[in-house]
Amino acid sequence: MIIGNTGVIKDNPTDIRDDILNQAIDNVEGFTNLPSGIQNNLLDESVIVISEIQDMLSNVMNSVSPLYANDFMILELGEAFGLKIKDKALPNTTITFYGLAGVVIPEGLEISNEDSSKKFITTKSDIINASGQVSIYCEGADYYDTPTPANTLTVMLNQVLNVTSCTNLNDAVETTPAETISEFRIRFQNRALANRSGTVATLNDELKKVEGTVDRLCTYQASQIVEEGVSKAVLEVIVGGGDDYQVALAIFNSVLYPDIFVSNPSNDETNRTVNINVTFNEVDFPITYTRPKINQLSINISLTVQSGFINIPSEAFTLLLRTYFLNYINNLKIGYSPTGYAFDDLIYQCFKDNFYNISIITGINYTLTVNDEPASLNAQRQLQTEFDEAYTLLNLQCNLTGASV
């Protein structure tokens, strides 16, 4: 049976009849010698029986099966497991405020970058602590389609007395598209079809429930540490997006022993470590995890083709390629390296989709920058990438040589 947006799709009665007729001719000796009236009566009765069976099967599948339920039922079944389809998420980041201890940073405080093209808003109130700072989860005022780099949200649009400055220590998590029904169906199946209590899979499910978290920016790394001569298994959790406390609560709710978590961000960037106390039965449990580093990747492509086969300027071809590279880079899982092989394949696919023969390509070279610093592919044609690093595409330029314009 075929599965569509409305669930199981039953076969057309005409198709059922044709199939039965073909099978009867092939497998029932003497069928074609029967009077036409008897043939038609047998075929019609068989179609009715098979249609009724398909009715029963589709009603059952569309009602209860995580594999076959229609869109409406999968949403209802998800609710029963505590899962909701995720709406489009605003960009978000944590902004650190500096000033006099005891000063209250109010909910709804607006912070922008220098040219006011980006505005973020505090989602809760908090108090500057004894160290003279406090970090608060903030959401964008709009669905911005360009990155918000670290240390750019520094302008408080509503002044607060005795607050000296503020900044986002990490890149903001960009706007997240709404979860599709297909993505939700997979997430529900993972939750419903197996008992995953107390496992990393449970942690994965709980983190996905937190508003603002981004699937591709969440990962885990298991390792061993030695304490007082005893080896101990620990887990480092990397989470992109979401309120600091809600993420910590999801981690706490997923495991039996919250003391197994550590944070060792790459390049000793300790500003990406989050330490939060989760309170349960009036006892504080310290939870630690790591925020990802989101690198901004710029790619300059030198593409040479045989002359006379393409009539398109470099600027127009760059626009064709940009969609392919944007989809690849901005959906690449954290810890995974962009590769020259993947870049080549994107160019080949663009050629095929636009009816160009890839055999006319005579040379491809890439010049890369990461966070405005020169970068290069290694011997395996990969960018050196740490387990807690991800990428967004900042700029793409293709210089096309050999094309006619």
Side-chain angles (χ1 to χ4, degrees):
M1 286 184 168
I2 300 172
I3 309 302
N5 291 335
T6 57
V8 173
I9 300 174
K10 296 179 292 182
D11 292 327
N12 184 290
T14 301
D15 294 335
I16 295 175
R17 194 180 196 280
D18 290 343
D19 183 56
I20 295 173
L21 176 59
N22 291 331
Q23 291 190 51
I25 293 172
D26 292 340
N27 301 312
V28 180
E29 184 178 354
F31 178 78
T32 55
N33 296 326
L34 293 172
S36 60
I38 294 177
Q39 290 184 37
N40 289 329
N41 185 61
L42 290 170
L43 291 171
D44 291 341
E45 289 297 325
S46 299
V47 169
I48 292 172
V49 171
I50 291 177
S51 294
E52 289 179 347
I53 292 173
Q54 288 198 1
D55 277 339
M56 291 185 287
L57 285 173
S58 62
N59 287 336
V60 171
M61 290 179 177
N62 289 347
S63 298
V64 299
S65 170
L67 294 174
Y68 302 107
N70 60 36
D71 292 354
F72 172 78
M73 284 307 305
I74 207 71
L75 292 174
E76 293 295 307
L77 290 168
E79 291 269 6
F81 281 82
L83 303 179
K84 291 185 178 181
I85 193 166
K86 296 171 74 171
D87 293 329
K88 182 178 181 181
L90 291 164
N92 60 86
T93 190
T94 297
I95 296 180
T96 302
F97 297 85
Y98 303 90
L100 185 66
V103 171
V104 176
I105 305 298
E107 180 181 348
L109 179 65
E110 298 178 339
I111 306 94
S112 75
N113 54 0
E114 287 293 338
D115 63 5
S116 298
S117 60
K118 304 282 182 64
K119 183 167 68 174
F120 283 68
I121 303 170
T122 56
T123 60
K124 62 182 179 182
S125 62
D126 210 336
I127 300 173
I128 294 179
N129 58 34
S131 66
Q133 64 184 60
V134 65
S135 296
I136 301 179
Y137 174 72
C138 300
E139 289 185 341
D142 202 353
Y143 297 100
Y144 305 120
D145 56 4
T146 57
T148 304
N151 300 311
T152 57
L153 300 172
T154 57
V155 180
M156 287 194 300
L157 300 180
N158 316 103
Q159 294 301 315
V160 179
L161 194 62
N162 294 321
V163 175
T164 56
S165 63
C166 67
T167 191
N168 56 315
L169 296 175
N170 297 300
D171 295 350
V173 173
E174 297 178 40
T175 299
T176 308
E179 186 176 33
T180 66
I181 190 66
S182 297
E183 292 168 338
F184 180 77
R185 183 185 295 273
I186 292 171
R187 183 157 66 93
F188 168 67
Q189 289 169 1
N190 289 337
R191 182 68 182 91
L193 297 180
N195 179 10
R196 295 166 178 252
S197 178
T199 67
V200 171
T202 303
L203 174 58
N204 188 61
D205 289 341
E206 290 297 319
L207 288 176
K208 286 181 178 179
K209 292 180 185 178
V210 178
E211 196 68 36
T213 55
V214 180
D215 291 354
R216 83 172 186 107
L217 299 180
C218 297
T219 190
Y220 321 91
Q221 177 170 268
S223 59
Q224 298 280 332
I225 62 173
V226 177
E227 289 184 350
E228 299 179 353
V230 178
S231 181
K232 174 183 176 182
V234 294
L235 186 67
E236 182 164 11
V237 182
I238 294 85
V239 185
D243 174 75
D244 286 353
Y245 184 82
Q246 293 302 317
V247 170
L249 187 61
I251 294 172
F252 175 79
N253 287 336
S254 304
V255 297
L256 185 60
Y257 301 106
D259 60 342
I260 68 170
F261 294 104
V262 296
S263 175
N264 296 303
S266 58
N267 302 313
D268 295 324
E269 294 175 342
T270 54
N271 59 296
R272 294 194 283 113
T273 293
V274 179
N275 293 295
I276 296 284
N277 283 340
V278 173
T279 302
F280 179 73
N281 283 344
E282 300 183 356
V283 177
D284 286 340
F285 292 87
I287 300 294
T288 186
Y289 61 93
T290 303
R291 290 300 192 182
K293 181 176 183 178
I294 305 173
N295 296 313
Q296 295 180 17
L297 176 63
S298 295
I299 307 172
N300 192 300
I301 306 170
S302 295
L303 179 61
T304 306
V305 298
Q306 296 177 23
S307 61
F309 289 91
I310 296 182
N311 181 21
I312 186 172
S314 295
E315 294 78 8
F317 196 74
T318 296
L319 291 177
L320 288 178
L321 277 179
R322 181 173 177 79
T323 300
Y324 293 84
F325 277 80
L326 194 67
N327 184 61
Y328 168 62
I329 298 297
N330 287 19
N331 288 294
L332 194 62
K333 179 75 173 177
I334 187 171
Y336 283 70
S337 301
T339 72
Y341 298 111
F343 295 167
D344 293 347
D345 287 341
L346 295 174
I347 294 174
Y348 298 154
Q349 190 61 52
C350 181
F351 265 61
K352 292 175 183 177
D353 291 346
N354 290 278
F355 307 104
Y356 300 133
N357 194 321
I358 64 173
S359 65
I360 68 173
I361 298 174
T362 58
I364 308 176
N365 288 294
Y366 303 103
T367 303
L368 310 176
T369 61
V370 175
N371 302 326
D372 294 325
E373 295 292 331
S376 59
L377 301 175
N378 60 21
Q380 289 74 42
R381 300 192 72 202
Q382 296 180 336
L383 268 178
Q384 185 63 39
T385 303
E386 301 291 345
F387 76 100
D388 57 355
E389 290 183 329
Y391 294 87
T392 58
L393 182 65
L394 182 61
N395 292 306
L396 178 77
Q397 178 62 46
C398 180
N399 300 306
L400 188 59
T401 303
S404 303
V405 293

